[in-house]
Amino acid sequence: MGRPVIIFGNPVIEIQELYKYYGDRRAIGPLSTTIAQGEVVGLLGLNGAGKTTTLRVLACDLLPTSGSVRVAGFDVVERSDEVRAKVGYLPDRPPLYDDMSVREYLAYAARLRNVPSAQVNRRVAEVQELTELGDVAGQLIGSLSHGFKQRVGIAQAIVHGPELVVLDEPISGLDPVQIMEMRELVRGLRGAHTVVVSSHILTEISETCDRILVIDDGKIAWSGTEAELSATLKQGMRVTLTLRASGLSAKAAGEKASAALSGLEGVREIEVLEPNELGTGIASLRVTTTADVRETLTRSLVQAEVGVLQVSKEKELENMFLELLGEGEQPGRKRRKKKQADADAASHAGTATETNRERA
Amino acid sequence: MRALTIARRELYAYTRSPLGSAIIAAALLVDGILFYYASVDTKKLSAQLLAQFFYDSTAATMGAGLLLSMRLLAEERQSGTITLLNTAPIRDRDIVLGKFLSAFGMLTVMNLLTIYMPLMVYVRGKVSVGQIAVGYVGLTLFGAAVTAIGLFASSLARSQVVALIIGAVMVASLILLWVVARAVDPPFNTFFSGLALHHENYRPFMTGTLQFDRVAYYLTLTYFFLLAATKVLEARRWR
């Protein structure tokens, strides 16, 4: 889609049989994967799937319970200093000091990461320009908007010119304009760095990454490009239709439209939804097809004297993702609730552990 | 070098927020009030007044040391900025050392600002420069130990208030060991009084007596708690 063709180099990340436990709870594992130099890889998963834990291990913020993790050829346990010098990490909550100006903070981050004193100012100026922070360089971080704070977070992650940049949910909490800008920023890292981005916002991964790693229950459930994922699952398309049949009730309008569409070539499943607009005779349908047959659907409905108010294609990646994780409609909700419950339980366990430590 | 980078950043934080100035101002006020009441008694010899000053100063030093150190690691954890330190190529011992140096530096500056009181005694009375110097050595060592304990407490807690409480309990327990020493029979009384943070170990400094075993005690205590804080940071990566 207009992206430059990049030939990826040697592996920057090599993970083999990685496990991480929080107490008795397995957060990730067994997890094995390889990421090549120059790749922009998206780590995709539901909340609590293990994305953040994986990224924290890569950044040496956490150490693995077992398994081998090598970054740029160095083991994260035995040679963590070397690994940390080669990794830039933006956690989901940027580690910013509100009482420092952007320039001071970036200079501090550069010094912490072994940038020679003589080069600190130059590096700070470069990353300020790259992340478009020049206009706010003298402002206190505490006075910046969320979008600018995220930019400062990315700037601190790349100020030392790391081989690997690890970004945990970089667009979290941003408005649409800021999301576009952040996307450009992440794309701008391509080539100079290997980038691993986590997100649960599915389209985000497809917009910015060369490859997707789907993580589920602490394991890599799938790895490949969006096109490969689509081909693997033989995914068709889901179309939502908003219709109007004059003089009929919503239910009757839905039934009439279903009758008009059923049996058409390419139509796999029709589901009547709650109408998404108010009005007499308005119905909504979700049609699952094996190919893009939107014209056929519209023609058939018009021939059946059903007015077509809206035809919208659902995001394919989202469908693929849910299908990959075996998420149906109701089971999906249940599963997400279970994940949330697990995450809550883990959070409580973590809090309890912290409290116990504080007591100790 | 990384420890100094961290120490500079912390000193910057103390000077930019009102907290550092407020703590120092309050401690100096307490010191001044205690010195005033000690000097009201005109029957005291100047050497006794000076000893009393160094005795009283430990209260302000203790309070300021705990207040300055409570935020060092707890605040970083609370705000998430500890991640910046954890993921930078710095050893945990350098993080702890940098943090310690900043709070200890502030505390030392605070103690040096009290110099006008011993100088008044020196000008108006008969005390030696040696007693003043040794008194400040003792106060500095005491401050280092309290700061190290406060830093260790700060490494255990996410909340600064909890860190302050933990630190205060530890310092109070170590001070009160002299009470334990009085309550037990030999040889345990010697053991406990030797461990007490203040009483037996601090008194020689007040009178201008520099004993190297007392110096070694405070240095060892400081090192022990800095090491403990380092181990807490290391352990967190494995949790």
Side-chain angles (χ1 to χ4, degrees), chain A residues 35-77:
Chain A
I35 294 174
Q37 189 176 20
E39 270 193 291
V40 179
V41 173
L43 205 56
L44 184 63
L46 300 173
N47 288 335
K51 301 186 297 291
T52 296
T53 302
T54 307
L55 298 187
R56 288 181 70 191
V57 170
L58 286 176
C60 295
D61 193 26
L62 280 179
L63 292 171
T65 306
S66 68
S68 159
V69 180
R70 297 176 76 82
V71 175
F74 297 108
D75 189 275
V76 295
V77 178

Short mmCIF file of all heavy atoms in Angstrom, two decimals, chain A residues 35-77:
data_model
loop_
_atom_site.label_atom_id
_atom_site.label_comp_id
_atom_site.label_asym_id
_atom_site.label_seq_id
_atom_site.Cartn_x
_atom_site.Cartn_y
_atom_site.Cartn_z
N ILE A 35 12.49 -11.47 15.57
CA ILE A 35 12.18 -10.22 14.86
C ILE A 35 13.47 -9.72 14.22
O ILE A 35 14.51 -9.63 14.88
CB ILE A 35 11.58 -9.18 15.81
CG1 ILE A 35 10.21 -9.67 16.30
CG2 ILE A 35 11.45 -7.82 15.11
CD1 ILE A 35 9.57 -8.81 17.35
N ALA A 36 13.38 -9.45 12.93
CA ALA A 36 14.59 -9.09 12.18
C ALA A 36 14.86 -7.59 12.25
O ALA A 36 13.95 -6.80 12.51
CB ALA A 36 14.45 -9.52 10.73
N GLN A 37 16.11 -7.26 11.99
CA GLN A 37 16.53 -5.85 12.00
C GLN A 37 15.72 -5.06 10.96
O GLN A 37 15.54 -5.51 9.83
CB GLN A 37 18.02 -5.79 11.65
CG GLN A 37 18.62 -4.44 11.84
CD GLN A 37 20.10 -4.46 11.58
OE1 GLN A 37 20.62 -5.35 10.91
NE2 GLN A 37 20.81 -3.49 12.10
N GLY A 38 15.23 -3.92 11.37
CA GLY A 38 14.50 -3.04 10.46
C GLY A 38 13.01 -3.30 10.37
O GLY A 38 12.28 -2.52 9.78
N GLU A 39 12.54 -4.39 10.96
CA GLU A 39 11.11 -4.69 10.92
C GLU A 39 10.33 -3.74 11.83
O GLU A 39 10.83 -3.32 12.88
CB GLU A 39 10.86 -6.11 11.41
CG GLU A 39 10.90 -7.16 10.34
CD GLU A 39 10.32 -8.48 10.83
OE1 GLU A 39 10.95 -9.13 11.70
OE2 GLU A 39 9.24 -8.86 10.37
N VAL A 40 9.10 -3.46 11.44
CA VAL A 40 8.16 -2.79 12.34
C VAL A 40 7.07 -3.83 12.63
O VAL A 40 6.31 -4.21 11.74
CB VAL A 40 7.54 -1.53 11.71
CG1 VAL A 40 6.56 -0.89 12.68
CG2 VAL A 40 8.63 -0.54 11.34
N VAL A 41 7.08 -4.33 13.84
CA VAL A 41 6.22 -5.45 14.20
C VAL A 41 5.15 -5.00 15.19
O VAL A 41 5.46 -4.29 16.15
CB VAL A 41 7.07 -6.60 14.81
CG1 VAL A 41 6.18 -7.71 15.35
CG2 VAL A 41 8.02 -7.15 13.77
N GLY A 42 3.95 -5.40 14.93
CA GLY A 42 2.85 -5.07 15.83
C GLY A 42 2.51 -6.24 16.72
O GLY A 42 2.37 -7.37 16.25
N LEU A 43 2.42 -5.97 17.99
CA LEU A 43 2.03 -7.01 18.96
C LEU A 43 0.56 -6.76 19.27
O LEU A 43 0.21 -5.75 19.88
CB LEU A 43 2.89 -6.86 20.21
CG LEU A 43 3.11 -8.08 21.08
CD1 LEU A 43 3.69 -9.22 20.29
CD2 LEU A 43 4.03 -7.72 22.24
N LEU A 44 -0.26 -7.68 18.83
CA LEU A 44 -1.70 -7.48 18.90
C LEU A 44 -2.30 -8.48 19.88
O LEU A 44 -1.98 -9.66 19.84
CB LEU A 44 -2.26 -7.69 17.50
CG LEU A 44 -3.73 -7.46 17.26
CD1 LEU A 44 -4.09 -6.03 17.52
CD2 LEU A 44 -4.05 -7.82 15.81
N GLY A 45 -3.13 -8.01 20.75
CA GLY A 45 -3.78 -8.94 21.67
C GLY A 45 -4.79 -8.22 22.53
O GLY A 45 -4.77 -6.99 22.64
N LEU A 46 -5.67 -9.03 23.11
CA LEU A 46 -6.67 -8.44 24.01
C LEU A 46 -5.98 -7.97 25.29
O LEU A 46 -4.84 -8.34 25.56
CB LEU A 46 -7.72 -9.50 24.36
CG LEU A 46 -8.49 -10.09 23.17
CD1 LEU A 46 -9.36 -11.24 23.65
CD2 LEU A 46 -9.33 -9.02 22.51
N ASN A 47 -6.70 -7.20 26.07
CA ASN A 47 -6.15 -6.79 27.37
C ASN A 47 -5.86 -8.02 28.21
O ASN A 47 -6.68 -8.92 28.29
CB ASN A 47 -7.14 -5.88 28.11
CG ASN A 47 -7.24 -4.51 27.48
OD1 ASN A 47 -6.31 -4.07 26.83
ND2 ASN A 47 -8.36 -3.85 27.66
N GLY A 48 -4.69 -8.05 28.82
CA GLY A 48 -4.32 -9.19 29.67
C GLY A 48 -3.73 -10.35 28.90
O GLY A 48 -3.44 -11.39 29.48
N ALA A 49 -3.49 -10.16 27.59
CA ALA A 49 -2.95 -11.27 26.79
C ALA A 49 -1.46 -11.50 27.04
O ALA A 49 -0.94 -12.58 26.77
CB ALA A 49 -3.19 -11.00 25.31
N GLY A 50 -0.78 -10.48 27.54
CA GLY A 50 0.66 -10.62 27.83
C GLY A 50 1.53 -9.69 27.02
O GLY A 50 2.76 -9.83 27.01
N LYS A 51 0.93 -8.74 26.35
CA LYS A 51 1.72 -7.81 25.49
C LYS A 51 2.70 -6.99 26.33
O LYS A 51 3.89 -6.95 26.04
CB LYS A 51 0.78 -6.83 24.75
CG LYS A 51 -0.26 -7.46 23.86
CD LYS A 51 -1.02 -6.41 23.08
CE LYS A 51 -1.82 -5.43 23.94
NZ LYS A 51 -2.97 -5.99 24.64
N THR A 52 2.15 -6.32 27.35
CA THR A 52 3.00 -5.42 28.14
C THR A 52 4.11 -6.19 28.85
O THR A 52 5.26 -5.74 28.90
CB THR A 52 2.13 -4.65 29.16
OG1 THR A 52 1.23 -3.82 28.42
CG2 THR A 52 2.98 -3.79 30.07
N THR A 53 3.79 -7.36 29.37
CA THR A 53 4.82 -8.16 30.05
C THR A 53 5.94 -8.52 29.07
O THR A 53 7.13 -8.41 29.40
CB THR A 53 4.19 -9.43 30.64
OG1 THR A 53 3.16 -9.05 31.54
CG2 THR A 53 5.22 -10.27 31.37
N THR A 54 5.56 -8.90 27.85
CA THR A 54 6.57 -9.25 26.85
C THR A 54 7.47 -8.05 26.55
O THR A 54 8.70 -8.17 26.51
CB THR A 54 5.87 -9.70 25.54
OG1 THR A 54 4.94 -10.74 25.86
CG2 THR A 54 6.87 -10.19 24.52
N LEU A 55 6.85 -6.89 26.39
CA LEU A 55 7.63 -5.69 26.08
C LEU A 55 8.53 -5.31 27.25
O LEU A 55 9.67 -4.86 27.06
CB LEU A 55 6.71 -4.52 25.73
CG LEU A 55 5.81 -4.71 24.49
CD1 LEU A 55 5.07 -3.43 24.16
CD2 LEU A 55 6.62 -5.16 23.30
N ARG A 56 8.02 -5.48 28.46
CA ARG A 56 8.84 -5.13 29.63
C ARG A 56 10.05 -6.04 29.75
O ARG A 56 11.12 -5.62 30.18
CB ARG A 56 7.99 -5.20 30.92
CG ARG A 56 6.99 -4.04 31.02
CD ARG A 56 6.19 -4.12 32.29
NE ARG A 56 7.02 -3.83 33.46
CZ ARG A 56 6.63 -4.03 34.72
NH1 ARG A 56 5.42 -4.52 34.96
NH2 ARG A 56 7.43 -3.72 35.71
N VAL A 57 9.87 -7.29 29.37
CA VAL A 57 11.02 -8.21 29.38
C VAL A 57 12.04 -7.77 28.33
O VAL A 57 13.25 -7.74 28.59
CB VAL A 57 10.56 -9.66 29.13
CG1 VAL A 57 11.76 -10.58 28.89
CG2 VAL A 57 9.74 -10.18 30.32
N LEU A 58 11.55 -7.38 27.15
CA LEU A 58 12.47 -6.92 26.09
C LEU A 58 13.25 -5.69 26.53
O LEU A 58 14.41 -5.51 26.17
CB LEU A 58 11.68 -6.58 24.82
CG LEU A 58 11.13 -7.76 24.01
CD1 LEU A 58 10.30 -7.25 22.86
CD2 LEU A 58 12.27 -8.62 23.50
N ALA A 59 12.59 -4.83 27.32
CA ALA A 59 13.23 -3.58 27.76
C ALA A 59 14.02 -3.77 29.05
O ALA A 59 14.56 -2.80 29.59
CB ALA A 59 12.18 -2.51 27.96
N CYS A 60 14.09 -4.99 29.56
CA CYS A 60 14.80 -5.31 30.81
C CYS A 60 14.15 -4.65 32.03
O CYS A 60 14.81 -4.48 33.07
CB CYS A 60 16.27 -4.89 30.76
SG CYS A 60 17.22 -5.79 29.56
N ASP A 61 12.90 -4.27 31.92
CA ASP A 61 12.20 -3.74 33.09
C ASP A 61 11.77 -4.90 33.99
O ASP A 61 11.62 -4.74 35.19
CB ASP A 61 10.97 -2.94 32.62
CG ASP A 61 10.37 -2.11 33.73
OD1 ASP A 61 11.11 -1.75 34.66
OD2 ASP A 61 9.16 -1.82 33.67
N LEU A 62 11.56 -6.05 33.38
CA LEU A 62 11.26 -7.27 34.11
C LEU A 62 12.21 -8.34 33.61
O LEU A 62 12.62 -8.30 32.45
CB LEU A 62 9.84 -7.75 33.81
CG LEU A 62 8.67 -7.11 34.51
CD1 LEU A 62 7.39 -7.77 34.01
CD2 LEU A 62 8.77 -7.29 36.02
N LEU A 63 12.52 -9.29 34.46
CA LEU A 63 13.36 -10.39 34.01
C LEU A 63 12.49 -11.64 33.84
O LEU A 63 11.53 -11.82 34.58
CB LEU A 63 14.47 -10.65 35.03
CG LEU A 63 15.50 -9.51 35.12
CD1 LEU A 63 16.43 -9.72 36.30
CD2 LEU A 63 16.28 -9.40 33.84
N PRO A 64 12.83 -12.47 32.85
CA PRO A 64 11.98 -13.64 32.60
C PRO A 64 12.10 -14.69 33.70
O PRO A 64 13.14 -14.78 34.36
CB PRO A 64 12.52 -14.18 31.27
CG PRO A 64 13.89 -13.63 31.14
CD PRO A 64 13.94 -12.36 31.91
N THR A 65 11.04 -15.44 33.89
CA THR A 65 11.10 -16.54 34.85
C THR A 65 11.96 -17.66 34.29
O THR A 65 12.77 -18.25 34.98
CB THR A 65 9.67 -17.06 35.16
OG1 THR A 65 8.87 -15.94 35.56
CG2 THR A 65 9.69 -18.11 36.24
N SER A 66 11.77 -17.94 33.00
CA SER A 66 12.63 -18.93 32.32
C SER A 66 12.61 -18.65 30.83
O SER A 66 11.82 -17.86 30.35
CB SER A 66 12.16 -20.36 32.63
OG SER A 66 10.92 -20.58 32.01
N GLY A 67 13.49 -19.32 30.13
CA GLY A 67 13.59 -19.12 28.69
C GLY A 67 14.71 -18.17 28.34
O GLY A 67 15.38 -17.63 29.22
N SER A 68 14.91 -18.01 27.06
CA SER A 68 16.02 -17.17 26.59
C SER A 68 15.48 -16.00 25.77
O SER A 68 14.66 -16.19 24.88
CB SER A 68 16.95 -18.05 25.74
OG SER A 68 17.72 -17.24 24.90
N VAL A 69 15.94 -14.82 26.12
CA VAL A 69 15.58 -13.62 25.35
C VAL A 69 16.88 -12.89 25.01
O VAL A 69 17.63 -12.50 25.91
CB VAL A 69 14.65 -12.68 26.16
CG1 VAL A 69 14.30 -11.45 25.33
CG2 VAL A 69 13.39 -13.40 26.60
N ARG A 70 17.14 -12.76 23.74
CA ARG A 70 18.36 -12.07 23.30
C ARG A 70 17.95 -10.88 22.45
O ARG A 70 17.10 -10.99 21.56
CB ARG A 70 19.25 -13.01 22.49
CG ARG A 70 19.75 -14.18 23.29
CD ARG A 70 20.55 -15.14 22.43
NE ARG A 70 21.88 -14.63 22.14
CZ ARG A 70 22.91 -14.73 22.96
NH1 ARG A 70 22.77 -15.33 24.13
NH2 ARG A 70 24.08 -14.25 22.63
N VAL A 71 18.53 -9.74 22.78
CA VAL A 71 18.29 -8.51 22.01
C VAL A 71 19.64 -8.06 21.47
O VAL A 71 20.60 -7.88 22.25
CB VAL A 71 17.66 -7.41 22.89
CG1 VAL A 71 17.53 -6.11 22.10
CG2 VAL A 71 16.30 -7.85 23.40
N ALA A 72 19.71 -7.90 20.17
CA ALA A 72 20.95 -7.51 19.48
C ALA A 72 22.10 -8.44 19.88
O ALA A 72 23.24 -8.01 20.01
CB ALA A 72 21.30 -6.06 19.79
N GLY A 73 21.77 -9.69 20.11
CA GLY A 73 22.78 -10.70 20.43
C GLY A 73 23.11 -10.83 21.89
O GLY A 73 23.87 -11.71 22.29
N PHE A 74 22.54 -9.96 22.73
CA PHE A 74 22.84 -10.01 24.18
C PHE A 74 21.67 -10.58 24.96
O PHE A 74 20.51 -10.24 24.68
CB PHE A 74 23.16 -8.61 24.70
CG PHE A 74 24.37 -7.98 24.09
CD1 PHE A 74 24.25 -6.92 23.19
CD2 PHE A 74 25.64 -8.46 24.39
CE1 PHE A 74 25.38 -6.36 22.61
CE2 PHE A 74 26.77 -7.88 23.82
CZ PHE A 74 26.64 -6.84 22.92
N ASP A 75 21.99 -11.40 25.93
CA ASP A 75 20.97 -11.99 26.78
C ASP A 75 20.44 -10.96 27.78
O ASP A 75 21.24 -10.24 28.39
CB ASP A 75 21.56 -13.19 27.54
CG ASP A 75 20.50 -13.96 28.27
OD1 ASP A 75 20.15 -13.58 29.42
OD2 ASP A 75 20.00 -14.94 27.71
N VAL A 76 19.12 -10.89 27.93
CA VAL A 76 18.54 -9.84 28.79
C VAL A 76 18.85 -10.04 30.27
O VAL A 76 18.74 -9.10 31.06
CB VAL A 76 17.01 -9.72 28.61
CG1 VAL A 76 16.65 -9.26 27.22
CG2 VAL A 76 16.30 -10.99 28.99
N VAL A 77 19.23 -11.26 30.65
CA VAL A 77 19.55 -11.50 32.07
C VAL A 77 21.05 -11.29 32.30
O VAL A 77 21.44 -10.54 33.19
CB VAL A 77 19.13 -12.92 32.49
CG1 VAL A 77 19.52 -13.20 33.94
CG2 VAL A 77 17.64 -13.12 32.30
#
